């Protein structure tokens, strides 16, 4: 099932995309009250690999089911920007690696997956600069879906150990507690901590 809003969203993304094909980390925030500083301090004139990659990765997943999204010129521009940027960067933030991996996996770019994999330690734990002192991204943050090319970055025993760890951390309400720094404190964060795949492989 498709929805016209998906193409309308691609149209809007195209309207705010910068000349190099990337999206800014954030647009100008007229009223910064209640906003985390990383939103209000973002430069709307600079492309962000992190934001462009996560948005393009989601769009590529939709594109599998929606021909209009698959053929939208914005998606090709954004994807090309990300794949070029990840190859050109000497250093990458952990979140850039994560979301670039999602995109590379969505478009089956095995070369990009291998390059990103070189940035991840063998145990799959990559420190998040600017986060909590012990905050890390983990194997299933980079490769949440079983059977996908990104899983080849990690040894099977690493993935199996991570699945056991997540199983042991699940709360009685079915969710997981978040393990990252947050500027907001809703009454219940357990749902926000659900692993990215939303399911475990059998």
């Amino acid at each position: 099932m498709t929805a016209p809003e998906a193409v309308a969203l691609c149209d809007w993304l195209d309207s705010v995309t910068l000349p190099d094909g990337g999206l800014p980390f954030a647009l100008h925030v007229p009223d910064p009250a209640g906003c985390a500083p990383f939103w209000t301090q973002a430069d709307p004139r600079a492309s962000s690999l992190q934001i462009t990659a996560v948005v393009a990765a989601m769009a590529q997943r939709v594109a599998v089911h929606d021909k209009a999204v698959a053929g939208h010129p914005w998606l090709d521009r954004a994807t090309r920007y990300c794949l070029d940027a990840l190859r050109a960067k000497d250093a990458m933030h952990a979140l850039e690696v994560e979301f670039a991996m999602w995109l590379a996996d969505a478009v089956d770019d095995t070369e990009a997956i291998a390059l990103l994999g070189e940035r991840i330690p063998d145990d799959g734990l990559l420190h998040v600069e600017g986060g909590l002192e012990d905050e890390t991204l983990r194997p299933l943050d980079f490769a949440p879906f079983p059977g996908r090319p990104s899983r080849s970055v990690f040894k099977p025993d690493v993935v199996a150990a991570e699945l056991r760890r997540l199983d042991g951390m699940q709360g009685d309400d079915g969710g997981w507690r978040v393990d990252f720094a947050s500027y907001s404190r809703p009454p219940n964060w357990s749902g926000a901590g659900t692993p990215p795949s939303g399911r475990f492989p059998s």
Side-chain angles (χ1 to χ4, degrees):
M1 183 176 181
T2 62
E5 290 82 2
V7 172
L9 178 55
C10 289
D11 290 340
W12 179 81
L13 289 166
D14 193 47
S15 75
V16 297
T17 292
L18 298 172
D20 63 0
L23 292 166
F25 189 89
L27 301 177
H28 173 65
V29 179
D31 182 3
C35 287
F38 51 79
W39 296 121
T40 60
Q41 296 170 9
D43 183 355
R45 300 163 299 178
S47 289
S48 165
L49 173 58
Q50 176 182 334
I51 293 297
T52 311
V54 70
V55 174
M58 297 301 102
Q60 288 288 358
R61 292 178 186 174
V62 172
V64 173
H65 310 283
D66 190 328
K67 292 182 179 179
V69 172
H72 198 286
W74 167 79
L75 183 55
D76 183 66
R77 288 177 63 207
T79 300
R80 179 47 49 198
Y81 162 79
C82 294
L83 295 177
D84 289 344
L86 73 85
R87 287 173 166 87
K89 275 181 168 279
D90 292 328
M92 292 177 67
H93 189 277
L95 293 172
E96 289 182 316
V97 177
E98 176 185 20
F99 298 140
M101 183 72 83
W102 289 8
L103 178 60
D105 186 76
V107 298
D108 296 315
D109 189 329
T110 55
E111 179 189 18
I113 290 170
L115 289 172
L116 293 164
E118 293 174 2
R119 298 178 183 271
I120 305 171
D122 290 343
D123 62 5
L125 305 181
L126 188 60
H127 177 66
V128 178
E129 183 180 355
L132 299 173
E133 183 178 351
D134 60 349
E135 186 175 334
T136 60
L137 293 179
R138 307 183 67 92
L140 298 186
D141 292 318
F142 300 105
F145 299 110
R148 294 296 306 163
S150 57
R151 278 288 175 92
S152 66
V153 169
F154 306 104
K155 294 180 180 178
D157 61 325
V158 170
V159 173
E162 186 66 6
L163 291 170
R164 290 194 298 271
R165 186 189 73 87
L166 286 172
D167 184 50
M169 293 176 62
Q170 188 173 18
D172 293 338
D173 62 357
W176 286 259
R177 292 188 178 276
V178 298
D179 55 1
F180 55 84
S182 172
Y183 285 88
S184 60
R185 298 293 179 192
N188 184 0
W189 263 98
S190 63
T194 302
S197 65
R199 60 173 183 257
F200 298 125
S202 57

